[in-house]
């Protein structure tokens, strides 16, 4: 965008005067942040209007990306970068005696997501806008995002996340976009004036959805602006003045409170099924409001709903928006008068679904009674979808057990993944391995009848945020070496391969990592007081805390080193620092105990300076997008150690790689493709492969045999009973070898332990050879282009959405 420093300054002064009646001399950093953000929001709006006009003119097909989570992080820095206005604002603020970096710190993270799924959705919005595909994202405007994590006495405590005061400035309230969503009540059939049989939902409760739009600009001259629409739930009826006047304040407020509950909090759960009625209401609220809004716009433009599949793609990101299928059916039939067959044809040609997990507990299932009570009309439609589907497969004489596996309604449960597969045009997994696994396991029966439905789109990350903005030193070295085109053509990073034996370049890569480590250590010291040794190897594992991700395996390895050093404190080893960042769902007790274990181990090490010099552990409190942006550029080892077959893709593996960290990982998710790109010599792979996991499982995996026969493992597990910093972890030792209520060590930490420590040993030896290590880092950076979300989006556009870019007349 073309704006001079002076023009920018005028705009900021104007906002300060209008909103705060203040001059820069008297303004505080919060007021400056708000004024700057409001200026940027106006500029985005202006850009969006130009872009919207182009889309409407060309009547392009648009993608509507429905997702219960968007892990946006901070917006100001990203928006300035994408608009090309960072320098102008930097200069302007300097003139006002403020630093732009200081102002960035005033913004809270918009943590409207749990983990990988939500961050992926945000990366996709960036790429959609940059590549200029017409797109809109839809989610809820949760008043409280993912909880703020505090560590108190080494344990996780969940506090409400108040992100709105600083996040609200990005939203444009759209009073013209208000839709009513119905819950409960009963379904009634009636005949309309023409004698046609119709259906309506009566006596239910209604809640209004109010739109708040956030503009997301793409990067570069040809970029567009995507809109992320966040729905707020609000009472659809007028305030109960009667009760209020009679002094019954509680009753007067009740209806409002109940309605608002729907967009109050994000469920702090990841891969953990929560059969909560409120969650079901949230999911329906999202899809109903989004589809009503879409159909209204569609009718305005095209006058008929019949060409919907030519002009709109509805993408269900995981099963959470699965109700889009029966809701679209309802709207097309009940509101627009289409027959079942017409509506079904349109629905299946419009909706697509991405699966993000094979973990059984994360495959959403609703209790049939709850479903019927909360959404009677949607229930009736879902039953009919199921009935017709079952009839069609019965007609093909399919095996009864196979049919049962595919039913949407079975054993008093409503299975959302089955609904998604039956009602979608395409279904994709998120890495090559994962897309094969879903065809072989959870969707194997469907794959037999719809082989063309299944496809793969490997995940990606926006390299503009995760490399260019968060690692400016590395970005400028790359620009120096291959020019700036990789900003929008990430595949050009491969041009770095020609420097693979260039000593000067390799040294620079090493120096940049060192400088980033030093910066990170300073940042941590300043913000937490923890002292990191930048001369040690930074080895990082950051992701939601879950058994299958095996943070525990990492801890077992560290305890093993700790025991070695306790035996022999003079042992000559290269110093290592293990950094963890993870939140655990509040109800997931075992995961919370692992957080406690990491923190206790860290605390014990702090008391022993001799050990700390060689082996340190740090737990990052309240790990979020902003913390990741600080930490990833400083990390040297990327721990991606899930049990093979369990991690759908992973995306931190991609963020680390593009910042020159080397992966220590299993052949799981996208690690497989990362390994293929960089070659075996530039990654440290260990552990069981997916088929071996299956085999070990079928053979009756028994971890206690490993414990009894391997002295190292025995010692480590026994040490958990003694504990750290005064806290025993016998429960975790039991989990590993006794199991108590389930199979011991269900994610096979003990079976992979030996190979893991061997790979870590090889890695340590390689690290000692600086030239070799820097070369590995360079190859990882050079091969990361394919893991840009620009590539993922291009794949979706071509293979799933059939979407064209908006044409921009080059200036
Ligand atoms: C499930 C549930 C169940 C109900 C309560 C709330 C809730 C929230 C999230 C989930 C499923 C989360 C699935 C997920 O995040 N999968 C991750 O998706 C990433 C992006 O594709 C991928 O890289 C990770 O491997 C995968 O674990």
């Amino acid at each position: 965008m073309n704006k001079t420093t002076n023009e920018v300054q005028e705009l900021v002064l104007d906002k300060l005067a209008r909103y705060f009646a203040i001059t820069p001399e008297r303004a505080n950093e919060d007021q400056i942040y708000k004024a700057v953000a409001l200026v940027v929001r106006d500029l985005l709006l202006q850009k969006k209007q130009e872009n919207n006009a182009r889309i409407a003119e060309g009547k392009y097909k648009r993608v509507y990306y429905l997702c219960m989570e968007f892990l946006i992080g901070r917006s100001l820095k990203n928006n300035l970068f994408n608009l090309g206005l960072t320098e102008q604002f930097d200069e302007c603020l300097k003139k006002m005696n403020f630093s732009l970096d200081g102002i960035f710190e005033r913004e809270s993270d918009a943590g409207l997501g749990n983990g990988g799924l939500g961050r992926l959705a945000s990366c996709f919005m960036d790429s959609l806008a940059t590549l200029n595909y017409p797109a809109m994202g839809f989610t809820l405007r949760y008043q409280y995002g993912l909880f703020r994590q505090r560590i108190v006495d080494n344990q996780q405590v969940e506090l409400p996340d108040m992100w709105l005061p600083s996040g609200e400035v990005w939203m444009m309230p759209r009073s013209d976009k208000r839709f009513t969503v119905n819950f409960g009540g009963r379904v009634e059939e009636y005949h309309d004036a023409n004698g046609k049989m119709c259906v309506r939902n009566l006596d239910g409760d209604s809640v209004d959805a109010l739109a708040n739009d956030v503009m997301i600009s793409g990067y570069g001259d040809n970029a567009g602006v995507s809109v992320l629409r966040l729905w707020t739930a609000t009472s659809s009826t007028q305030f109960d003045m009667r009760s209020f006047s009679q002094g019954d304040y509680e009753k007067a407020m009740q209806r409002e409170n109940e309605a608002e509950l729907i967009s109050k909090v994000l469920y702090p759960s990841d891969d953990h099924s929560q059969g909560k009625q409120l969650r079901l209401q949230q999911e329906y609220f999202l899809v109903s409001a989004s589809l009503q809004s879409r159909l209204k716009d569609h009718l305005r433009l095209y006058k008929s709903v019949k060409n919907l599949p030519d002009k709109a793609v509805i993408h269900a990101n995981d099963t959470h928006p699965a109700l889009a299928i029966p809701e679209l059916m309802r709207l097309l039939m009940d509101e627009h008068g289409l027959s079942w067959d017409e509506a079904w044809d349109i629905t299946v040609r419009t909706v697509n679904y991405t699966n993000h997990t094979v973990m059984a507990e994360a495959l959403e299932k609703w209790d049939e009674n709850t479903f019927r009570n909360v959404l009677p009309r949607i229930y009736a439609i879902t039953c009919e979808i199921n009935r017709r589907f079952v009839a069609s497969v019965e007609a093909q004489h399919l095996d009864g057990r196979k049919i049962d596996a595919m039913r949407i309604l079975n054993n008093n449960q409503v299975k959302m993944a089955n609904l998604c597969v039956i009602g979608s045009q395409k279904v994709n997994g998120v890495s090559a391995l994962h897309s094969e696994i879903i065809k072989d396991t959870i969707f194997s029966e469907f794959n037999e009848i719809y082989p063309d439905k299944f496809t793969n789109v490997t995940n990606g990350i926006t390299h503009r945020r995760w490399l260019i903005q968060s690692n400016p030193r590395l970005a400028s070295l790359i620009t120096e070496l291959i020019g700036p085109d990789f900003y929008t053509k990430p595949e050009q990073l491969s041009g770095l391969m020609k420097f693979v034996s260039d000593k000067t370049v390799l040294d620079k890569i090493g120096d940049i990592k060192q400088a980033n480590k030093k910066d990170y250590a300073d940042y941590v010291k300043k913000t937490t007081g923890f002292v990191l040794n930048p001369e040690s190897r930074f080895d990082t594992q950051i992701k939601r805390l879950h058994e299958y991700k095996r943070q525990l395996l990492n801890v077992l390895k560290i305890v093993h080193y700790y025991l070695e050093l306790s035996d022999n404190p003079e042992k000559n080893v290269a110093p290592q620092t293990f950094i963890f960042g993870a939140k655990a769902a509040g109800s997931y007790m075992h995961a919370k105990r692992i957080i406690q274990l990491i923190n206790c181990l860290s605390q014990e090490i702090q008391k022993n300076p001799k050990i700390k010099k060689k082996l340190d552990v740090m737990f990052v409190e309240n790990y979020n997008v902003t913390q990741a942006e600080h930490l990833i550029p400083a990390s040297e080892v990327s721990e991606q150690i899930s049990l093979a077959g369990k991690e759908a893709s992973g995306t931190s593996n991609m963020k680390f790689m593009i910042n020159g960290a080397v992966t220590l990982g299993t052949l799981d998710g996208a690690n497989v493709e990362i390994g293929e790109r960089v070659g075996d010599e530039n990654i440290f792979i260990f552990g069981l492969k997916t088929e071996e996991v299956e085999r070990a499982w079928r053979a009756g995996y028994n971890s206690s045999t490993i414990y009894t026969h391997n002295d190292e493992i025995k010692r480590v597990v026994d040490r958990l009973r003694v504990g750290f910093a005064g806290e025993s972890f016998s429960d975790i030792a039991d989990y590993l070898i006794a199991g108590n209520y389930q199979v011991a060590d269900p994610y096979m930490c003990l079976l992979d332990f030996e190979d893991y420590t061997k790979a870590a040993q090889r890695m340590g030896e390689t690290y000692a050879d600086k030239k070799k290590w820097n070369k590995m880092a360079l190859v990882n950076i050079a091969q990361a282009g394919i893991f840009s979300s620009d590539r993922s989006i291009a794949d979706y556009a071509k293979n799933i959405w059939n979407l064209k870019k908006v044409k921009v007349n080059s200036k």
Side-chain angles (χ1 to χ4, degrees):
M1 215 172 213
N2 279 332
K3 283 268 173 280
T4 63
T5 305
N6 284 343
E7 285 169 335
V8 160
Q9 188 172 354
E10 243 170 68
L11 295 170
V12 175
L13 289 176
D14 180 60
K15 291 283 185 233
L16 280 175
R18 270 181 207 233
Y19 285 83
F20 303 105
I22 212 167
T23 58
E25 293 75 41
R26 297 191 39 241
N28 63 30
E29 281 194 323
D30 275 326
Q31 290 165 326
I32 297 283
Y33 161 73
K34 287 224 167 89
V36 168
L38 287 168
V39 170
V40 175
R41 195 187 72 176
D42 286 353
L43 297 174
L44 287 167
L45 194 63
Q46 192 186 324
K47 199 169 165 187
K48 183 198 136 197
Q49 271 160 351
E50 290 163 16
N51 201 54
N52 268 9
R54 269 186 223 122
I55 297 176
E57 217 174 85
K59 301 207 169 165
Y60 287 92
K61 184 174 185 180
R62 243 189 206 202
V63 61
Y64 297 85
Y65 198 80
L66 306 188
C67 188
M68 290 293 284
E69 307 185 10
F70 278 83
L71 209 45
I72 303 168
R74 288 176 175 165
S75 291
L76 180 57
K77 185 175 175 180
N78 189 58
N79 282 328
L80 289 180
F81 175 85
N82 279 2
L83 291 170
L85 291 174
T86 311
E87 260 175 48
Q88 291 88 323
F89 275 86
D90 191 30
E91 289 291 310
C92 153
L93 291 190
K94 270 194 199 125
K95 286 202 209 167
M96 298 177 178
N97 285 324
F98 287 95
S99 94
L100 186 56
D101 282 336
I103 296 305
F104 289 154
E105 293 302 314
R106 306 315 307 162
E107 182 174 2
S108 309
D109 270 43
L112 308 184
N114 276 296
L117 175 87
R119 185 54 232 173
L120 185 81
S122 286
C123 284
F124 280 5
M125 292 307 285
D126 182 87
S127 290
L128 281 163
T130 299
L131 299 176
N132 212 344
Y133 285 110
M136 243 178 117
F138 290 92
T139 193
L140 298 192
R141 197 205 72 148
Y142 302 102
Q143 191 179 342
Y144 300 101
L146 184 59
F147 65 83
R148 196 156 63 82
Q149 180 193 56
R150 289 284 319 272
I151 302 296
V152 179
D153 289 338
N154 294 320
Q155 297 176 65
Q156 169 177 297
V157 175
E158 302 96 40
L159 300 175
D161 164 54
M162 320 255 212
W163 71 284
L164 270 177
S166 72
E168 206 156 26
V169 282
W170 299 109
M171 284 177 225
M172 293 292 301
R174 298 290 307 264
S175 48
D176 54 325
K177 306 278 179 194
R178 187 178 184 122
F179 298 93
T180 302
V181 179
N182 291 309
F183 295 98
R186 62 193 168 86
V187 176
E188 185 190 75
E189 291 181 350
Y190 70 101
H191 293 273
D192 71 4
N194 304 320
K196 192 173 163 210
M197 236 262 286
C198 303
V199 183
R200 61 187 163 205
N201 206 152
L202 292 173
D203 304 334
D205 293 319
S206 61
V207 176
D208 273 10
L210 268 180
N212 307 269
D213 287 357
V214 171
M215 270 77 64
I216 299 171
S217 167
Y219 173 83
D221 291 341
N222 295 330
V225 179
S226 308
V227 175
L228 175 59
R229 178 160 292 170
L230 300 100
W231 296 108
T232 308
T234 177
S235 171
S236 63
T237 43
Q238 282 195 339
F239 183 64
D240 183 358
M241 203 63 208
R242 226 175 106 102
S243 305
F244 186 81
S245 312
Q246 289 166 354
D248 193 346
Y249 304 126
E250 221 167 89
K251 184 158 177 242
M253 295 303 296
Q254 195 181 356
R255 210 171 311 143
E256 297 213 331
N257 290 343
E258 275 172 17
E260 285 168 15
L261 207 56
I262 290 186
S263 55
K264 189 68 86 190
V265 273
L266 168 85
Y267 268 88
S269 183
D270 181 297
D271 281 6
H272 244 66
S273 172
Q274 302 230 343
K276 297 268 164 62
Q277 177 168 321
L278 184 57
R279 170 92 185 168
L280 180 62
Q281 288 174 320
Q282 287 187 324
E283 294 182 359
Y284 181 64
F285 181 75
L286 169 68
V287 301
S288 180
S290 308
L291 292 181
Q292 289 186 58
S293 143
R294 164 74 302 242
L295 284 185
K296 193 172 168 197
D297 288 350
H298 185 89
L299 274 178
R300 188 171 38 79
L301 271 174
Y302 303 105
K303 317 291 175 231
S304 157
V305 289
K306 293 199 174 164
N307 66 343
L308 189 72
D310 303 329
K311 298 296 174 188
V313 191
I314 290 161
H315 201 92
N317 202 31
D318 219 78
T319 55
H320 317 140
L323 295 171
I325 293 161
E327 174 65 0
L328 186 54
M329 290 294 290
R330 182 188 73 81
L331 291 168
L332 293 175
M333 295 188 301
D334 300 359
E335 312 266 318
H336 298 283
L338 265 54
S339 69
W340 179 279
D341 289 339
E342 286 173 316
W344 184 245
D345 175 64
I346 290 176
T347 300
V348 181
R349 288 198 293 125
T350 307
V351 179
N352 298 288
Y353 153 63
T354 302
N355 172 279
H356 292 267
T357 180
V358 289
M359 300 297 293
E361 61 268 40
L363 292 176
E364 279 190 305
K365 296 174 201 79
W366 296 107
D367 169 67
E368 196 173 335
N369 285 327
T370 308
F371 194 95
R372 185 195 294 116
N373 291 337
V374 177
L375 306 167
R377 177 66 182 135
I378 293 300
Y379 173 74
I381 293 173
T382 305
C383 288
E384 183 60 13
I385 296 175
N386 183 56
R387 193 191 65 75
R388 289 177 183 238
F389 170 78
V390 171
S392 79
V393 281
E394 274 172 356
Q396 297 171 37
H397 306 292
L398 237 69
D399 176 79
R401 259 180 319 166
K402 287 187 181 170
I403 296 179
D404 284 348
M406 293 188 285
R407 284 176 200 273
I408 302 169
L409 293 139
N410 204 7
N411 294 328
N412 303 319
Q413 287 185 319
V414 190
K415 297 184 172 169
M416 305 310 265
N418 290 0
L419 171 62
C420 280
V421 177
I422 294 167
S424 295
Q425 172 98 336
K426 289 273 179 197
V427 175
N428 74 288
V430 289
S431 71
L433 176 68
H434 168 67
S435 295
E436 285 308 308
I437 291 178
I438 60 175
K439 285 194 287 182
D440 293 343
T441 60
I442 52 173
F443 299 139
S444 63
E445 295 83 7
F446 284 118
N447 189 42
E448 277 180 37
I449 56 168
Y450 307 130
D452 297 334
K453 221 180 237 216
F454 292 91
T455 182
N456 172 56
V457 180
T458 299
N459 281 169
I461 53 153
T462 167
H463 64 296
R464 285 172 290 276
R465 182 185 272 260
W466 292 106
L467 165 65
I468 304 172
Q469 291 170 52
S470 64
N471 196 345
R473 290 190 182 99
L474 185 56
S476 45
L477 173 66
I478 298 172
T479 309
E480 208 179 283
L481 297 172
I482 61 167
D485 287 358
F486 75 98
Y487 277 41
T488 48
K489 298 187 178 73
E491 65 282 1
Q492 293 203 358
L493 284 172
S494 63
L496 291 171
M497 286 305 280
K498 60 174 177 287
F499 302 100
V500 73
S501 303
D502 184 324
K503 177 155 186 328
T504 323
V505 170
L506 295 180
D507 284 349
K508 281 187 184 164
I509 297 252
D511 293 347
I512 287 170
K513 187 60 81 180
Q514 198 50 41
N516 290 344
K517 287 168 68 181
K518 173 85 180 44
D519 275 3
Y520 184 67
D522 291 345
Y523 167 77
V524 167
K525 176 87 204 307
K526 198 170 116 206
T527 51
T528 72
F530 194 96
V531 179
L532 283 168
N533 171 13
E535 301 308 317
S536 65
R537 182 163 82 232
F538 283 9
D539 181 314
T540 310
Q541 188 173 16
I542 39 177
K543 42 189 86 252
R544 285 299 297 259
L545 212 135
H546 203 289
E547 286 159 79
Y548 83 80
K549 295 178 189 280
R550 298 201 295 191
Q551 282 93 349
L552 181 57
L553 175 59
N554 195 352
V555 175
L556 296 178
K557 177 191 68 182
I558 302 168
V559 172
H560 168 61
Y561 295 151
Y562 180 73
L563 289 170
E564 281 185 341
L565 279 175
S566 306
D567 288 348
N568 179 7
E570 307 308 324
K571 192 173 176 199
N572 190 11
V573 292
Q576 303 189 71
T577 299
F578 292 94
I579 303 171
F580 291 87
K583 289 182 183 176
S587 57
Y588 191 175
M589 290 311 162
H590 180 66
K592 290 171 88 170
R593 280 290 280 168
I594 293 170
I595 289 180
Q596 190 179 0
L597 170 59
I598 298 167
N599 280 285
C600 285
L601 180 57
S602 173
Q603 192 187 346
E604 183 152 321
I605 291 174
Q606 305 318 304
K607 290 202 201 113
N608 191 335
K610 234 177 177 171
I611 291 194
K612 182 175 164 79
K613 263 196 202 135
K614 297 178 179 171
L615 175 70
D616 206 353
V617 174
M618 183 180 82
F619 187 88
V620 178
E621 187 179 56
N622 197 37
Y623 172 66
N624 58 13
V625 172
T626 297
Q627 292 284 354
E629 286 165 350
H630 284 289
L631 172 54
I632 294 173
S635 296
E636 294 169 293
V637 179
S638 157
E639 298 267 359
Q640 306 296 340
I641 60 175
S642 52
L643 178 65
K646 301 292 180 204
E647 188 70 273
S649 162
T651 43
S652 77
N653 43 7
M654 302 168 182
K655 293 165 195 156
F656 280 115
M657 171 192 196
I658 207 166
N659 282 282
V662 179
T663 305
L664 171 57
T666 48
L667 280 176
D668 200 14
N671 299 350
V672 177
E673 287 152 89
I674 292 177
E676 282 165 7
R677 295 301 300 187
V678 300
D680 294 348
E681 63 288 7
N682 294 304
I683 189 165
F684 295 95
I685 293 291
F686 71 91
L688 302 169
K689 300 183 185 57
T690 308
E691 322 76 76
E692 292 167 342
V693 170
E694 293 306 318
R695 235 177 286 141
W697 196 248
R698 279 197 300 269
Y701 173 55
N702 184 347
S703 60
S704 59
T705 328
I706 303 177
Y707 168 81
T708 334
H709 290 97
N710 183 321
D711 290 344
E712 271 175 8
I713 291 180
K714 183 169 186 308
R715 222 181 141 204
V716 170
V717 175
D718 290 348
R719 185 65 175 74
L720 295 178
R721 297 192 191 280
V722 178
F724 303 94
E727 176 77 17
S728 160
F729 291 91
S730 285
D731 53 334
I732 297 182
D734 288 342
Y735 163 87
L736 287 169
I737 55 171
N740 294 343
Y741 304 108
Q742 54 170 347
V743 179
D745 189 21
Y747 295 95
M748 301 181 169
C749 292
L750 300 196
L751 192 49
D752 268 345
F753 179 87
E754 205 176 325
D755 207 21
Y756 180 40
T757 49
K758 277 190 190 148
Q761 171 80 22
R762 275 189 282 127
M763 189 186 69
E765 287 156 13
T766 313
Y767 185 80
D769 181 345
K770 277 282 157 277
K771 186 165 171 227
K772 198 166 172 193
W773 187 266
N774 292 338
K775 190 170 165 180
M776 292 178 86
L778 181 117
V779 174
N780 271 274
I781 302 163
Q783 296 299 335
I786 199 162
F787 301 109
S788 164
S789 44
D790 290 359
R791 192 271 313 143
S792 311
I793 287 301
D795 285 356
Y796 275 101
K798 184 162 174 274
N799 302 331
I800 299 185
W801 299 333
N802 188 19
L803 211 60
K804 302 270 172 301
K805 289 183 186 178
V806 178
K807 282 208 186 82
V808 179
N809 301 328
S810 344
K811 291 147 223 161

